[in-house]
Amino acid sequence: MTSNIIDQTALALFASDGMKVATPGVDLKSSWDLAPEKHTAYRERALVFLKVFGEQMSGLADKEISNLDKQEPDR
């Protein structure tokens, strides 16, 4: 698995769903590697999550920029 934002988010969603194998010595990455049939579904969820998160962050940034514009004295 390459280490990009989509894959990292997919892995985080996988972990948050409690999908890690509960066996001593098996880390999260190994658990992910043991479940290749789940990779596509988690990558799809990651894409949706990142899209919505990006839209929310953009809206927040726009609001904060607008607030800064209101605070600046007229030039």
Side-chain angles (χ1 to χ4, degrees):
M1 180 169 96
T2 62
S3 185
N4 66 42
I5 189 76
I6 297 166
D7 291 331
Q8 290 173 0
T9 304
L11 187 60
L13 291 169
F14 180 80
S16 72
D17 283 350
M19 298 301 296
K20 181 183 175 299
V21 175
T23 302
V26 178
D27 63 5
L28 179 59
K29 175 71 170 81
S30 297
S31 293
W32 174 260
D33 292 340
L34 291 170
E37 71 282 359
K38 298 182 185 295
H39 293 189
T40 299
Y42 277 97
R43 282 182 56 85
E44 288 172 356
R45 286 181 57 196
L47 289 168
V48 171
F49 174 87
L50 290 167
K51 181 177 190 276
V52 171
F53 183 73
E55 290 169 353
Q56 291 176 343
M57 293 303 292
S58 178
L60 176 62
D62 289 344
K63 182 180 175 185
E64 291 298 319
I65 290 168
S66 175
N67 288 342
L68 288 174
D69 289 343
K70 290 176 189 174
Q71 293 175 2
E72 288 184 7
D74 293 331
R75 294 179 195 203

